[in-house]
Amino acid sequence: MSTVEARATAEAREPGVRSKSNSPRQIPVVGVVTEDEDAQSALKPMDLNRVIKLLEETDKADLEEKQLKAVKILVQNYQNGFPLRDLVQIFKILNLCAGKIGHQPHFIESAYSILKLCGLPFLKKKVSDEITYAEDTANSIALLGDLMKVPSSELRIQICKCIVDFYHAEPPKKHIPGYQQASSSYKIQMAEVGGLAKTMVQSLTLLDNQLVEKLWVLKALQHLSTSEVNCTLMMQAQAASSICAHLNDPDPSGQLLFRSSEILWNLLEKSPKEEIIRQLSNLECLLALKEIFKHLFMRGFSHYDRQLRNDILVITTIIAQNPEAPMIECGFTRDLILFATFNEVKSQNPLVKGLKLSNSYEDFELKKLLFNIIVILCKDLPTVQLLIDGKVVLALFTYVKKPEKHKIIEWSAAQYEELQLHAIATLSSVAPLLIEEYMLCQGNARILAFLEWCESEDSFFSHGNSFHGTGGRGNKFAHMRYTLRLLRAMVYLQDETVNNDLCEKRTIQQLIGIFKNTISKSNDKEEAIVLEIQSDILLILSGLCEHNIPRKEIFGTEGVDVILHVLKTDPKKFQSGLGYIVLLFSTLDSIWCCILGCYPSEDYFLEKEGIFLLLDLLALNQKKFCNLILGIMVEFCDNPKTTVHVNSWRGKKDQTAASLLIKLWRKEEKELGVKRDKHGKIIDTKKPLFTSFQEEQNIMPLPADCPTVAVMDVAENIRAKIYAVLGKLDFENLPGLSAEDFVTLCIIHRYLDFKIGEIWNEIYEEIKLEKLRPVTTDKSILEAITTASENIGKMVASLQSEMIESQARQDIQNEQRVYAKIQATHKQRDLANKSWENFLARTSNAKNLKKAKRLQEKAIESSRYNERPPNAIFHQTDIKGLNTTCFIAWQIDPCWIRVYLVSSSRHNLALIAKLVPSGRVVTLESTPARLVGGPLADTDIALKKLPIRGGALQRVKAVKIIDEPKKNVLT
């Protein structure tokens, strides 16, 4: 019968399963199970205790045969797997069989058969059996590790196979009525609980010269090490060192190295890394790694060998991070340096004679890993001499050059670019340790020439691959970034030989030019890398110009323009996360190092409103750079021209620089927890500057060279810098301050006095704690100083109280003025309304008009003299023929009101003056002649004399009313 037919027959025998045929009609097949088959598949109840008792007996004759027969029956009964409820008894039977192997070899087969069945999935009768029998199962599985002590190769191999089967569980061959298979991960979990991995590691010591058994144990450990719990257990059993020490053991199959390296990888990834590194950092392990790496490097040609070689190198790199690892003592460091540089620097060492790396992916990765391990090894100072001997700097500098066209190289263009960037990054770590070699290789000249190529418009397409090439696709920004990092590392050594050589080669001018070019070339895609380049340029310039006036003069106005360009950046970008904050810090550092101290540069910076830009940044109230800006301001205020610029600055809502600084002081004190009342007044006159941190700290006697808490407070916040800036601006003439600002200014003005008193108080308290008794004179002086400090606090508090009270009085007066103005406005409005009502009454009712005229005439008569003075001339006040009434035309303008009069009688003019409401300027004029022909057109006077231009006599009267708070002036 073929395999397919047998499978079909087996499927047909299973109840409830339909077999498929090629015919369109499917006929159901009913499986028939005979009683014999059902009996074979069912688990027969078996008295396991009787088997155990039988195996424990030792006195009866032909006992061995009965024992073997009983075990055989047990194996036949449980051929489909062991139930969880019987595991304890079964493993006890297994343990008894294993114990008899030493004297009765026939029991090997019995133990082997039971172990073979252990590889099958366990069976459970109830769903809860996995939880109910969890402890028994874990203890039973743990016995497998103990059985490795049995001196039987066959048994040990079967134990390992059984463990491997945990991870490759096969379903039972037959269905057992009343039982179901335990979950596939159940055995794995129980192995973790039982600590099987630990005992398996310990069993390796029993297999020194037994390669086959050792390979099976490593295979089992390889599976077990996929779990973090098992890796921790293996670590406790010193698995890393015991496995690594035997990496170089002879093994024709190559499995030992492969499985061991896989286990080491898992241990490094899934258990405490530091402990694994510590276990591997011994001479025996490193010697084994060294020999196997050399063997694979020189004689490994297959793809598998190269991958394994790289894995070993990565493990070595991780171990090299431990400074206590004896890398130099075992000779591994020297060999690694040789392998890293033999392609670039010719060597006569037999290890590399005839060796050549290909452009395969594995060899390319090897080259990068060797560069990487050099960076790690150079952190150990004894390695420096080996780096010199290996000519590492010269080898790495072979990559710091522009790519040569038409030259055959062993790497592809993308690979060479990546190696070039990696080599420059490696130089940033190595070159600062080897300054002499760096100068011998003309490092500065090479770097500046490479920077010139990076800046040029040379046709070059960057692939931008890998970590180092980020942001550099299609341009040279990645090359420029790593070259500038290398230059920055050398400049910050503050080695005069290196820095003088750079300045002689016009580095300052070249860097300023590069910065300007990056401004014009950058776009949104490369913004992050351009910002990093600009930050590095400014840091390099800071390192070159610091404490050197001639170099600051070379920096000059072009450098100041660069700094001003950065300071004008939109403040919103400082929150974008693209490196603008780093650029700003670099810029502020450049102001400090490249401008301050050079008066021409300072004057140019002031002339270009640089102080205004700094104050604009300070007004952003960003704590991270306030301290640095204030430090710059303190230094700038030494320049006498600075004060005018600072006092001229205006922020939002016309805020002055002094007001801004005082506001920063209040905010700083609030964050520090300084005690102030709601008006900012001093509460504790004995400790007016004490912060909450100082309150919590108890005063302790300290050595004379250790700063106390009061001294450290000066450096840890910005109050001292604010005091220094305001002091240089002159406390007495600060513009734009409010009453609250003046209250705070009283404290700032006395900051130095308060701080001195605070320090003397600390000295006095330390003397008390040390139980020293000063002489009478010293004691009286200390008390006088303390009292004087407290008196200053009381004086400042008193002055603050006066200011607060004065301001309160001023506020009341201002309020009263406002209320008076409002009252006058309402009164004037009421008068205007009343006048208007009277006017409407007169114009709409003749009786009221006559009454008003009678009252007016009466008033006029009462104002006259009762007796006519001698020689007086009488003038008639009424004009005959005047029949018109008052007509008013209003022309309204935002600034003035013009009123045209038809009638020119005096009483009408007076009436209009009363009707005009309060305003800024009111102009009263006669009605233009073009409207009515003149003011006397209809009177008898018009008939007496003709005008030159025709019409009646014309005269214009102008009346202006000037607005006053309480009266109108008629002119």
Side-chain angles (χ1 to χ4, degrees), residues 60 142 206 215 224 236 287 480 489 848 886 927 933:
K60 295 182 180 180
L206 306 172
L215 291 177
L224 290 170
Q236 294 171 1
L287 283 171
M480 186 181 291
N848 291 337
C886 179
T927 306

Side-chain angles (χ1 to χ4, degrees), residues 367-585:
K367 192 69 178 177
K368 292 195 295 181
L369 288 171
L370 288 169
F371 283 164
N372 186 54
I373 200 170
I374 285 176
V375 174
I376 294 171
L377 291 173
C378 72
K379 295 177 182 178
D380 188 13
L381 290 181
T383 310
V384 171
Q385 187 57 46
L386 297 177
L387 295 173
I388 295 171
D389 297 341
K391 299 180 180 179
V392 174
V393 174
L394 179 61
L396 293 172
F397 262 121
T398 58
Y399 292 92
V400 187
K401 60 182 180 181
K402 65 177 183 180
E404 299 179 10
K405 298 180 180 179
H406 310 298
K407 183 180 178 181
I408 300 173
I409 55 175
E410 60 270 22
W411 308 108
S412 66
Q415 288 176 334
Y416 183 78
E417 178 192 331
E418 193 171 340
L419 288 177
Q420 187 178 44
L421 293 171
H422 205 146
I424 298 171
T426 305
L427 266 174
S428 301
S429 300
V430 176
L433 301 172
L434 308 172
I435 298 176
E436 292 184 8
E437 282 64 33
Y438 173 85
M439 295 303 294
L440 287 173
C441 295
Q442 296 183 340
N444 288 337
R446 290 175 185 247
I447 291 172
L448 295 176
F450 192 69
L451 275 176
E452 188 176 350
W453 171 78
C454 293
E455 190 186 5
S456 67
E457 299 295 335
D458 212 5
S459 58
F460 174 77
F461 181 81
S462 172
H463 294 77
N465 298 328
S466 77
F467 168 77
H468 294 92
T470 304
R473 185 170 182 81
N475 54 55
K476 305 172 189 173
F477 284 144
H479 298 76
M480 186 181 291
R481 170 171 58 183
Y482 282 98
T483 309
L484 288 170
R485 283 187 187 178
L486 169 58
L487 190 58
R488 186 187 69 191
M490 298 307 300
V491 167
Y492 267 73
L493 293 173
Q494 292 298 318
D495 185 275
E496 281 304 312
T497 306
V498 175
N499 289 357
N500 286 334
D501 185 57
L502 283 170
C503 292
E504 289 172 1
K505 291 180 169 59
R506 298 176 58 83
T507 304
I508 295 174
Q509 296 92 323
Q510 184 176 350
L511 291 175
I512 293 172
I514 293 173
F515 192 103
K516 290 181 177 179
N517 287 337
T518 56
I519 294 172
S520 59
K521 290 182 180 178
S522 63
N523 54 52
D524 292 339
K525 290 183 179 179
E526 294 115 9
E527 187 175 17
I529 189 171
V530 168
L531 290 174
E532 185 179 345
I533 288 171
Q534 292 174 345
S535 300
D536 283 339
I537 289 174
L538 291 176
L539 289 173
I540 293 167
L541 291 171
S542 300
L544 289 173
C545 297
E546 189 175 12
H547 309 308
N548 195 302
I549 300 299
R551 294 176 190 171
K552 292 182 181 182
E553 292 173 352
I554 295 173
F555 183 80
T557 57
E558 289 189 2
V560 174
D561 287 335
V562 165
I563 288 174
L564 292 170
H565 171 80
V566 179
L567 292 178
K568 291 176 183 176
T569 304
D570 184 359
K572 294 179 181 178
K573 291 185 177 180
F574 294 138
Q575 308 299 329
S576 64
L578 289 174
Y580 280 100
I581 284 289
V582 178
L583 179 60
L584 178 60
F585 276 112

Side-chain angles (χ1 to χ4, degrees), residues 41 52 124 170 328 341 420 502 542 732 783 798 846 884 964:
S41 61
I52 293 171
K124 58 183 179 181
E170 296 181 1
I328 298 175
T341 59
Q420 187 178 44
L502 283 170
S542 300
E732 303 299 329
E783 291 174 352
S798 175
T884 59
E964 290 292 338

